[in-house]
Amino acid sequence: MSKTERLFHPRTLVIHPDFKNLEEFIVSIPERFQRNEGTVIHQGRNELRKMEYNGKEYVIKSFHSPHLINRFVYGIFRPSKAKRSYDHAEMLLKIGVGTPQPVGYMNIRSGLLFDKSYYISLLSTCPYIYDNLFTQHFDYAEEVFRAIGKVTARLHEHGYAHKDYGRANILFQKTPNGITIEIVDLNRMYIGPIDMKTGCKNFERLPATPQMHRWMAEEYAKTRNFDVEKCFELMRAYRSVQPGKIDNLY
């Protein structure tokens, strides 16, 4: 980027202390997207790409340029989605909730107006997402659902609730040490007190049979000292009014 480009398109660059050597790579990300480098993981309003650099694999989320009013708001007053993703990932790791290691983020402005932002993390080692529980057979499925209940309870106990807690944003794998759960897509998080009703409602976008809800409710209630039956009933009730409800596994 030339001096003139930097003047009219200033950028904010934040890199995790463990990845300071990646500045050159992160700065080059917009050009790499333009050259269609890497592997597309998701393409919609925002784009998710996997890229390799110096022998390591990273995931970069490119957030779309907002409409004119929000370009002003994000440019002056409000933290970008990339910054929120980075900050929330740091928060989750501090409380012992899994998420891919945050590497950094970059905001690019056009004058005073916000233009684009990019969030960079390491590629998760988890090979499965929640939705795979309905398309594949796992002989340890009960362990996964119980782990999700426990991890969600830990999040809520610390006053965090994922606002897009859906089937694509929970990753998992089984290791010799047990089930690993990682939560992704962190730019939208509620931060504040979370009671039993609010906490159980947070599960509403996750398809589940009654048995699956039972497993999650038991671990969630045990961790938060809530009544198991009340949590189970609330999860079932909140899920029942969601579109695309799934009641049968496989």
Side-chain angles (χ1 to χ4, degrees), residues 74-245:
Y74 282 118
I76 304 294
F77 303 109
R78 192 176 178 188
S80 72
K81 293 181 180 180
K83 173 176 168 50
R84 296 204 304 269
S85 297
Y86 180 86
D87 291 344
H88 293 159
E90 292 263 86
M91 289 192 308
L92 262 60
L93 292 177
K94 284 179 182 177
I95 65 171
V97 173
T99 192
Q101 171 64 49
V103 170
Y105 69 89
M106 181 168 61
N107 299 332
I108 300 175
R109 290 188 290 132
S110 181
L112 292 178
L113 297 179
F114 181 83
D115 189 14
K116 294 276 292 180
S117 66
Y118 300 87
Y119 171 62
I120 305 95
S121 72
L122 289 181
L123 177 68
S124 173
T125 60
C126 293
Y128 304 113
I129 63 173
Y130 185 99
D131 201 39
N132 293 142
L133 292 162
F134 292 87
T135 59
Q136 301 178 44
H137 176 76
F138 297 90
D139 56 11
Y140 54 89
E142 177 179 347
E143 296 175 63
V144 175
F145 286 105
R146 289 189 179 279
I148 291 169
K150 188 178 296 186
V151 165
T152 309
R154 178 182 286 270
L155 262 180
H156 293 175
E157 281 284 274
H158 285 83
Y160 305 130
H162 196 303
K163 288 187 175 182
D164 291 315
Y165 209 43
R167 62 181 76 193
N169 292 333
I170 299 174
L171 317 181
F172 70 90
Q173 67 176 330
K174 185 170 185 177
T175 73
N177 296 319
I179 301 298
T180 296
I181 301 292
E182 292 189 348
I183 301 173
V184 297
D185 198 9
L186 303 178
N187 70 90
R188 298 182 68 240
M189 296 279 286
Y190 167 80
I191 301 176
I194 300 168
D195 60 17
M196 182 170 63
K197 287 185 177 180
T198 304
C200 290
K201 191 176 190 302
N202 198 208
F203 289 84
E204 67 184 346
R205 293 180 61 187
L206 298 175
T209 64
Q211 182 61 75
M212 295 168 185
H213 273 137
R214 171 70 63 182
W215 290 328
M216 289 191 288
E218 286 178 353
E219 295 302 322
Y220 184 79
K222 182 166 58 178
T223 303
R224 301 203 67 194
N225 294 316
F226 290 154
D227 182 88
V228 172
E229 290 303 320
K230 287 182 179 177
C231 285
F232 174 71
E233 291 168 5
L234 285 168
M235 286 183 190
R236 294 297 295 162
Y238 287 127
R239 177 61 194 167
S240 69
V241 297
Q242 285 291 304
K245 181 170 66 70

Side-chain angles (χ1 to χ4, degrees), residues 15-24 26 56 58 86 101-104 121-122:
I15 304 175
H16 188 282
D18 293 344
F19 299 94
K20 288 297 185 182
N21 62 321
L22 292 180
E23 180 173 354
E24 182 179 346
I26 295 174
K56 283 193 174 183
Y58 303 89
Y86 180 86
Q101 171 64 49
V103 170
S121 72
L122 289 181

Side-chain angles (χ1 to χ4, degrees), residues 46-91:
N46 306 312
E47 186 171 347
L48 210 59
R49 283 181 175 266
K50 179 177 70 174
M51 292 186 185
E52 184 176 332
Y53 182 75
N54 284 348
K56 283 193 174 183
E57 291 186 303
Y58 303 89
V59 172
I60 299 99
K61 186 167 187 178
S62 170
F63 291 95
H64 74 288
S65 182
H67 60 69
L68 184 59
I69 294 176
N70 274 350
R71 289 187 68 192
F72 177 76
V73 171
Y74 282 118
I76 304 294
F77 303 109
R78 192 176 178 188
S80 72
K81 293 181 180 180
K83 173 176 168 50
R84 296 204 304 269
S85 297
Y86 180 86
D87 291 344
H88 293 159
E90 292 263 86
M91 289 192 308

